[in-house]
C-alpha cells in the first residue's frame, strides 16, 4: 500500500436522514499491489456540525476484473488523550463489569467489544468508541509506546460495485462507562 498514491480531500456526505456530514476522505487507488489492483479504498472521517461525534468508515470502489469474497479490512486509530501515555486508559466492559486498562504501563491485547471509553486521568471529557454490530472483531493494543484501537470488517464485492464498511463512531463527552444503548447503529451514508 505504501507504493500507491493517496489523495486527501475535503468532502460532504449525506446520511439516510438527509443530514450533511463533513470531513476528509483519503483515497488510494491500487495500481501496483498485485492482489488489490483495480480497487480504490476511500477512508472517511466525518463530523456532523454542532455535534461532538466523528464517523469513521471505508468504501471500496471495486473495478478489478474479478470478484472479491470474504476480504478483511482493518480500521485503526492511534490514540493519546493526554501528554503522558501512562495516564491514558480504556474502560472495557467484560461480563457486566467494567475494567480499566492503562496504556504506557504494560502490554495489553484486548478484545474491546461493541463500545469502549477512552480517556485520561487529567481530563473530564472522554472519547467513547462505538463499533458497528457487523464488525468481525474490535480490539485494543497498548504498550509503553502505543495506544491503538482497531476494528476488523469483512467485505465482498463483484466487479464494478462499491461496498461500504459500516461506521465506527467516536463520541466526545463526560462518559464514565460505555452506553448500553445508542442511536448510532442505524446511521448509514449514501453512495457517491
Amino acid at each position: 500500500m505504501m507504493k500507491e498514491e493517496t489523495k486527501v480531500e475535503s468532502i460532504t456526505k449525506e446520511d439516510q436522514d438527509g443530514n450533511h456530514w463533513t470531513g476528509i476522505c483519503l483515497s488510494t487507488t491500487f495500481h501496483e499491489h498485485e492482489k488489490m489492483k483495480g480497487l480504490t479504498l476511500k477512508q472517511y472521517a466525518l463530523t456532523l456540525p454542532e455535534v461532538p461525534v466523528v464517523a469513521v468508515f471505508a468504501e471500496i470502489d471495486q473495478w478489478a476484473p474479478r470478484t472479491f469474497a470474504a476480504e478483511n479490512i482493518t480500521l485503526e486509530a492511534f490514540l493519546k488523550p493526554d501528554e503522558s501515555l501512562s495516564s491514558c486508559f480504556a474502560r472495557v466492559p467484560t461480563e457486566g463489569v467494567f475494567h480499566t486498562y492503562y496504556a504506557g504501563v504494560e502490554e495489553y491485547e484486548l478484545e474491546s467489544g461493541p463500545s469502549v471509553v477512552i480517556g485520561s486521568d487529567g481530563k473530564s471529557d472522554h472519547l467513547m468508541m462505538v463499533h458497528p454490530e457487523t464488525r468481525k472483531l474490535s480490539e485494543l493494543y497498548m504498550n509503553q509506546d502505543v495506544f491503538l484501537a482497531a476494528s476488523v470488517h469483512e467485505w465482498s464485492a463483484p466487479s464494478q460495485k462499491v461496498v461500504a464498511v459500516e461506521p465506527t463512531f467516536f463520541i466526545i463527552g463526560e462518559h464514565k462507562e460505555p452506553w448500553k444503548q445508542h442511536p448510532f447503529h442505524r446511521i448509514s451514508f449514501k453512495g457517491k
Side-chain angles (χ1 to χ4, degrees), residues 91-134:
R91 196 164 290 134
V92 181
T94 41
E95 299 175 14
V97 177
F98 294 93
H99 295 280
T100 302
Y101 299 91
Y102 281 86
V105 180
E106 291 184 46
E107 184 175 38
Y108 296 107
E109 193 167 340
L110 309 163
E111 187 168 336
S112 63
S115 62
V116 60
V117 171
I118 295 164
S120 75
D121 290 334
K123 299 189 179 176
S124 60
D125 275 348
H126 298 126
L127 185 69
M128 182 170 42
M129 288 181 69
V130 177
H131 297 289
E133 294 172 333
T134 57

Side-chain angles (χ1 to χ4, degrees), residues 1-190:
M1 186 161 164
M2 301 304 285
K3 293 180 182 178
E4 309 293 353
E5 181 183 345
T6 297
K7 296 177 184 174
V8 180
E9 64 181 336
S10 61
I11 194 155
T12 299
K13 288 203 60 98
E14 188 176 342
D15 69 19
Q16 82 283 358
D17 293 328
N19 298 306
H20 292 93
W21 295 65
T22 59
I24 62 169
C25 174
L26 281 72
S27 182
T28 306
T29 299
F30 292 89
H31 300 287
E32 303 294 326
H33 192 283
E34 200 59 40
K35 183 178 176 188
M36 298 297 169
K37 191 181 288 188
L39 294 182
T40 298
L41 172 63
K42 296 179 179 177
Q43 300 172 78
Y44 296 92
L46 306 174
T47 62
L48 191 58
E50 305 296 321
V51 180
V53 173
V54 176
V56 177
F57 65 100
E59 288 178 343
I60 296 101
D61 198 348
Q62 209 290 74
W63 288 94
R66 61 170 278 220
T67 296
F68 286 86
E71 297 287 337
N72 287 331
I73 183 169
T74 303
L75 302 177
E76 299 174 330
F78 289 87
L79 305 160
K80 190 175 180 189
D82 208 343
E83 288 299 315
S84 172
L85 193 60
S86 63
S87 72
C88 302
F89 63 81
R91 196 164 290 134
V92 181
T94 41
E95 299 175 14
V97 177
F98 294 93
H99 295 280
T100 302
Y101 299 91
Y102 281 86
V105 180
E106 291 184 46
E107 184 175 38
Y108 296 107
E109 193 167 340
L110 309 163
E111 187 168 336
S112 63
S115 62
V116 60
V117 171
I118 295 164
S120 75
D121 290 334
K123 299 189 179 176
S124 60
D125 275 348
H126 298 126
L127 185 69
M128 182 170 42
M129 288 181 69
V130 177
H131 297 289
E133 294 172 333
T134 57
R135 77 198 179 290
K136 190 173 179 180
L137 175 70
S138 51
E139 58 189 348
L140 295 168
Y141 176 77
M142 299 179 223
N143 66 21
Q144 287 76 13
D145 303 311
V146 173
F147 189 167
L148 170 71
S151 58
V152 179
H153 305 266
E154 189 174 279
W155 64 276
S156 298
S159 185
Q160 301 181 14
K161 294 291 180 187
V162 177
V163 295
V165 170
E166 290 185 34
T168 291
F169 291 92
F170 295 86
I171 306 133
I172 300 166
E174 294 185 18
H175 310 290
K176 300 294 180 207
E177 299 174 352
W179 295 343
K180 290 183 174 75
Q181 300 291 324
H182 47 79
F184 297 102
H185 286 302
R186 64 175 194 76
I187 295 176
S188 62
F189 293 93
K190 297 179 179 180

